[in-house]
Amino acid sequence: MDDKPVMLIVDDVEINRVVLTQFFQEEYRIVEAENGQEAMSIVEEQPVNIVLVDLVMPVMDGFQVLALMKQNDQLAGIPVVVMTANNDGDSEARAMEMGASDFVTKPYNPTIVRCRVRNVMAREENEWRKVAQVAQKHQLMEMHQFVEKDTLTGIYNREAFYRKASELMQEHHQTKYSIVYLDISCFKVVNDLFRMETGNLILKTAAFFFDVLTGKDGLCGRIEADHFALCIPTAKLDMENMIAGLDGTMQSLGISHNVLFYAGVYPVENTLLPVDQMCDRAHMALNRIKGRYMTRYAFYDKAMRDQMLEEQMIARNMEYALQEGQFFIQLQPVYEIPARKIVGAEALVRWNYPKGPIPPSKFIPIFENNGFIVRLDRFVWEQACKVLRAQIDAGLTPVPISVNLSRLNFYSQDLLDYLQALIKKYDLEPSLLKLEITESAYMENPHQLIAMVRAFRGNGFSVLMDDFGSGFSSLSMLKDLPVDVLKIDMAFVQEVDKSSRAGAIMESIVGLGNRLNMDVVVEGVEKQEQMDFLTRIGCREIQGYYFAKPMDTDTFLGLVQRSQDS
């Protein structure tokens, strides 16, 4: 019996099907179709794991196949990769908006095509893993998945809302609709301050308000917890009145807490787009303004669309970029103030994307969200080890290099083993590779992190607390977490010449580190005034543009050489 996953290749040109079959026949059982109509018959009759479909075909084109699959609950989860002519950006964007997982362009580059299909399948596997984790935590909620009404509020639940909203918009295709996504600011505080019955009363009252508001022309649903969604004719939508009405309704409950709803609005342009993606876009607009007091709602706009497409582009190209060597490291030296000599460096990852460099501030949050950061971190660690080995081979006294450990690394059971294997591979002392952790890792699982830090130090690694002072629990963390070095957040440095309070806090942290026998490194030092202040309060090590910007590895090795020769 053939246990290979099934790939359906849909293209009216036989040679294209032959070429793609050659690419994938070792990994997949290939099924072929000459047009969209044949393809739909196949996916309805037999299991298919992934579909590769050409957008331009007779009888039924790829856009129609994509729309029909995404409207069918049983087929919507099958990943679809579309095939386009080179430089057909409009078709690519339209297909991605309709729910395509990715696209490939003709003529086919076998490496890129394989990487993109592998990426799509890896994302699908990751999504299934997330679903499995959610199922374990919310078994009771999942029991009601196929029941239309939410048991607490009586309005539609998530799955029913998605289905009913799609049917409503398809049935009244001449009417313009908007999706409104709402949630309550700091709802957890309400549950903590009052009884659960009070929280439930708020949710039921809000649901009743939304049900009356949408009436017969629209519908509403409870997506999860305190999150609601509305599908309502755009002509009927008045956000100012909605928010004012909600505020008045909440105040009428007599709760001694200000219950505030925030909303994001997605004006529907393409009714064939899956409703869950419409909600995601409305939610994206909501996240732009959540927490502000004066602005209570926002509309999804072109800037958000461009951001979403950019994030999809980054996720789509990450695997290929790693394989093709587009990622590299730069090193920013750490200097000792009295001797003005290099005593360390931090390895910083960069992406040399062919169409122009992509800054870390854009790609790192995406990789932290999709899990790719673990692989990228391990790449950086190995590059840092290579630089350490190069220093030793050049006859230099090696300057330690610090590397970042993103919080997701702490879920890897082989983390310490992997680091030790790297040290052994390059014949290094563990103390040369310093490990930087952040407060977010501590906040997620403090007991686990404390145990890991002790294990790191017990095996010879030094541990640095990065961006110290930027979070809410820094002092508590310092009490419990046995780190060797504090790296003070650059925000303090930028304020010391403007604010006496910032200066006083900085001086206290440096003094505290000294009393706890911890080294202190101050980041972001750029000006002479900052340098003078840090020297005066007894700070010994700094990192910043004042001495050196991040540099390539060859430049760094030359700088170390000159520093040790002088």
Side-chain angles (χ1 to χ4, degrees), residues 404-457:
N404 288 288
L405 269 65
S406 303
R407 58 185 176 80
L408 290 182
N409 284 290
F410 293 96
Y411 291 96
S412 301
Q413 295 183 350
D414 68 337
L415 176 57
L416 180 56
D417 291 340
Y418 185 87
L419 288 165
Q420 289 177 315
L422 267 184
I423 293 299
K424 184 177 180 181
K425 178 179 178 180
Y426 292 95
D427 193 17
L428 302 170
E429 290 296 323
S431 58
L432 291 175
L433 188 67
K434 298 189 174 186
L435 311 177
E436 296 195 13
I437 60 175
T438 60
E439 182 177 348
S440 61
Y442 176 82
M443 295 299 289
E444 277 198 4
N445 195 334
H447 298 297
Q448 180 192 40
L449 187 64
I450 290 169
M452 284 303 303
V453 168
R454 286 176 176 155
F456 292 149
R457 298 180 76 218

Side-chain angles (χ1 to χ4, degrees), residues 435-437 449 453-454 457 461-466 468 477-487 516-519:
L435 311 177
E436 296 195 13
I437 60 175
L449 187 64
V453 168
R454 286 176 176 155
R457 298 180 76 218
F461 293 97
S462 292
V463 180
L464 294 73
M465 174 55 64
D466 195 18
F468 181 78
M477 186 166 43
L478 190 59
K479 172 176 68 70
D480 298 326
L481 203 57
V483 297
D484 302 284
V485 182
L486 298 181
K487 295 190 76 172
L516 293 174
N517 295 317
M518 294 179 178
D519 291 333

Side-chain angles (χ1 to χ4, degrees), residues 240-277:
E240 290 289 344
N241 281 339
M242 179 191 296
I243 295 296
L246 261 176
D247 287 347
T249 302
M250 292 299 114
Q251 290 166 11
S252 71
L253 297 177
I255 300 168
S256 57
H257 182 81
N258 204 11
V259 179
L260 298 178
F261 275 84
Y262 287 82
V265 184
Y266 172 65
V268 178
E269 297 174 353
N270 177 12
T271 57
L272 296 178
L273 187 71
V275 176
D276 63 329
Q277 293 186 31

Side-chain angles (χ1 to χ4, degrees), residues 478-498:
L478 190 59
K479 172 176 68 70
D480 298 326
L481 203 57
V483 297
D484 302 284
V485 182
L486 298 181
K487 295 190 76 172
I488 300 179
D489 184 55
M490 65 177 64
F492 283 108
V493 183
Q494 294 165 355
E495 294 294 324
V496 292
D497 53 348
K498 305 173 188 175

Side-chain angles (χ1 to χ4, degrees), residues 263-396:
V265 184
Y266 172 65
V268 178
E269 297 174 353
N270 177 12
T271 57
L272 296 178
L273 187 71
V275 176
D276 63 329
Q277 293 186 31
M278 297 181 189
C279 288
D280 287 345
R281 296 179 185 189
H283 198 184
M284 188 185 297
L286 162 63
N287 287 334
R288 282 280 185 92
I289 49 92
K290 191 173 180 182
R292 300 183 194 175
Y293 189 77
M294 299 301 293
T295 307
R296 302 279 296 284
Y297 62 90
F299 284 81
Y300 179 88
D301 57 20
K302 185 179 182 298
M304 294 183 196
R305 176 182 179 274
D306 291 345
Q307 177 188 338
M308 180 190 66
L309 292 175
E310 182 180 58
E311 290 177 356
Q312 290 176 344
M313 179 276 293
I314 287 173
R316 189 169 61 245
N317 286 281
M318 61 189 186
E319 185 84 33
Y320 182 73
L322 187 59
Q323 289 187 12
E324 293 299 307
Q326 294 176 14
F327 291 108
F328 64 98
I329 66 166
Q330 289 187 325
L331 296 144
Q332 185 170 31
V334 175
Y335 278 81
E336 185 182 45
I337 294 178
R340 297 199 167 221
K341 282 199 169 185
I342 302 173
V343 293
E346 180 180 1
L348 303 166
V349 68
R350 299 291 185 259
W351 187 353
N352 186 23
Y353 186 61
K355 294 183 180 179
I358 300 176
S361 58
K362 286 191 175 180
F363 65 78
I364 286 179
I366 296 169
F367 294 167
E368 286 178 336
N369 186 52
N370 65 20
F372 188 72
I373 193 66
V374 173
R375 292 183 59 195
L376 187 61
D377 276 353
R378 294 189 174 195
F379 165 80
V380 171
W381 303 343
E382 181 145 15
Q383 296 304 303
C385 287
K386 289 179 180 179
V387 176
L388 289 167
R389 185 69 251 167
Q391 294 182 65
I392 296 170
D393 292 345
L396 301 172

